[in-house]
Amino acid sequence: MKAKKIITIVVTVIASALVVLSGIMKLAAGEEIVSSMGKVGIAAYLVPLALMEISFTALFLYPKTMKIGFILLSCYFAGALATELSHGMPFNALLPISLIWIAAFLRDSSIFLPDPSAKKIFGN
C-alpha cells in the first residue's frame, strides 16, 4: 500500500510539473516556443494557453476538484494532439496526457471503472 502511494505521488508530481513548466515556458515566450507555436498559427494565444495549463493543473492537484481538472487537462491535450497531427509535428502532448491519465487512475480509479457500490440507474 505504501509503494502505491509513493508511485501515485511521483507520477502526479511528474505529470503536473511537465504541464506547469510548459505553461511557464509559454509565459516566458522564448524564441523557440514562439516559432513552433507560430507554425500552427497560435503564437498570439501563448498567454491564455499558459494560464489554462497552469489553472487546469491546479484543479487537478486539489483533491476536491481533481476530476474536473482531469477532464479539462484531457481536453486541452487532446486538442494539442489534434493540432500536432494536423500539422505534421512531433507528438509532444502524448507524454503529459499519458502521465495525467496514469496519475488520475492511481489517485481515483472510479474515473475509469464503475463503482460497484453505486446504485445502478437502470435495472436492479
Side-chain angles (χ1 to χ4, degrees):
M1 192 64 168
K2 187 175 180 178
K4 181 187 179 221
K5 193 173 200 173
I6 292 170
I7 291 169
T8 302
I9 291 169
V10 168
V11 173
T12 302
V13 166
I14 292 171
S16 301
L18 280 174
V19 180
V20 170
L21 287 174
S22 172
I24 291 170
M25 290 187 332
K26 285 180 179 73
L27 283 175
E31 185 179 316
E32 193 174 314
I33 298 290
V34 173
S35 69
S36 67
M37 295 296 170
K39 290 178 185 175
V40 294
I42 57 173
Y45 304 103
L46 285 179
V47 172
L49 291 172
L51 294 176
M52 287 168 53
E53 287 180 349
I54 294 168
S55 61
F56 294 169
T57 303
L59 289 171
F60 180 68
L61 287 173
Y62 186 62
K64 290 185 179 184
T65 59
M66 194 260 311
K67 289 182 181 182
I68 189 70
F70 168 72
I71 291 168
L72 292 170
L73 282 170
S74 294
C75 293
Y76 179 87
F77 282 107
L81 275 171
T83 303
E84 290 170 350
L85 278 169
S86 66
H87 288 85
M89 299 176 74
F91 303 146
N92 294 326
L94 194 58
L95 179 62
I97 195 171
S98 300
L99 289 174
I100 289 164
W101 277 57
I102 292 167
F105 179 79
L106 291 172
R107 289 175 69 190
D108 184 4
S109 63
S110 71
I111 292 175
F112 303 101
L113 303 172
D115 187 7
S117 64
K119 293 182 179 179
K120 293 182 182 179
I121 296 173
F122 300 104
N124 298 335

